[in-house]
Amino acid sequence: MAVRHRLIRTSPRSVWAVLADGTRYAEWVVGTASSRPVRGHWPELGSAIGFEVRLGPVSLSNETVVRRCEPGETLELEAKAGPLGTARISIELRPWGDQCLVLVDEHPLRGAGGTLHNVAVEALIQIRHRTMLARLAKLCETEAAEAEQRRPLGQVVSPHPDEGGPRA
């Protein structure tokens, strides 16, 4: 089972905003060239996004379905990979001070992926997750820094957005 984690220097709320936007999947998921909603309202249970993977001149289209969602905390997906089968991908967000610890757990569910799964494949998944989490961190941290720059000087922001919000 490929489990990887990364501390992202922004709030879980900021990270969730990126995960909850199905059109941005291709910005942080390694190997994905594009993504678009195909069913339901992402990331509600049963909703799906279609994605495209390009390998040179070859293009493959598939979809990822939400199997479990606890908004702001957990997103569990079933990614379809054609003849390779499907994989379960769990993304968990944990507050870590004012930052976010992201844990990704992936393993094959159905098809050839489960049969072919071995130590070498596990190593490749670890490398993919390291890159994927680095992309997610860069995206979230850049957006948080840009939001901070737009914030008026002297404005105090509550560490708990649901408890009063920004104050001047």
Side-chain angles (χ1 to χ4, degrees):
M1 217 182 310
V3 179
R4 189 112 194 138
H5 67 276
R6 169 117 186 194
L7 185 62
I8 298 181
R9 295 181 314 247
T10 188
S11 69
R13 185 178 191 171
S14 296
V15 176
W16 184 259
V18 172
L19 297 179
D21 185 346
T23 64
R24 301 189 76 186
Y25 192 78
E27 292 179 49
W28 56 275
V29 176
V30 175
T32 305
S34 64
S35 61
R36 73 208 172 291
V38 293
R39 189 170 55 256
H41 182 53
W42 187 268
E44 291 176 358
L45 189 64
S47 63
I49 55 172
F51 65 91
E52 182 180 46
V53 176
R54 292 188 196 125
L55 302 168
V58 177
S59 178
L60 304 169
S61 294
N62 269 304
E63 70 177 32
T64 296
V65 179
V66 175
R67 296 299 184 202
R68 182 171 166 249
C69 179
E70 293 178 26
E73 296 177 14
T74 305
L75 184 60
E76 289 192 22
L77 309 170
E78 184 173 352
K80 299 178 181 179
L84 289 178
T86 66
R88 172 194 169 265
I89 303 163
S90 174
I91 304 168
E92 183 181 344
L93 308 183
R94 293 184 187 171
W96 198 261
D98 59 353
Q99 298 178 351
C100 181
L101 182 62
V102 179
L103 294 98
V104 177
D105 173 2
E106 178 176 349
H107 65 272
L109 282 177
R110 301 181 181 103
T115 305
L116 300 173
H117 195 88
N118 58 38
V119 175
V121 171
E122 190 78 14
L124 291 173
I125 293 172
Q126 286 288 344
I127 292 167
R128 179 175 177 261
H129 285 178
R130 183 180 327 145
T131 304
M132 181 179 77
L133 286 169
R135 286 182 182 183
L136 181 62
K138 183 177 181 182
L139 184 62
C140 295
E141 290 168 358
T142 298
E143 287 184 3
E146 289 170 356
E148 181 64 23
Q149 287 179 334
R150 289 190 302 270
R151 188 171 59 86
L153 287 175
Q155 182 183 33
V156 177
V157 179
S158 170
H160 305 288
D162 298 331
E163 296 175 9
R167 297 174 296 188

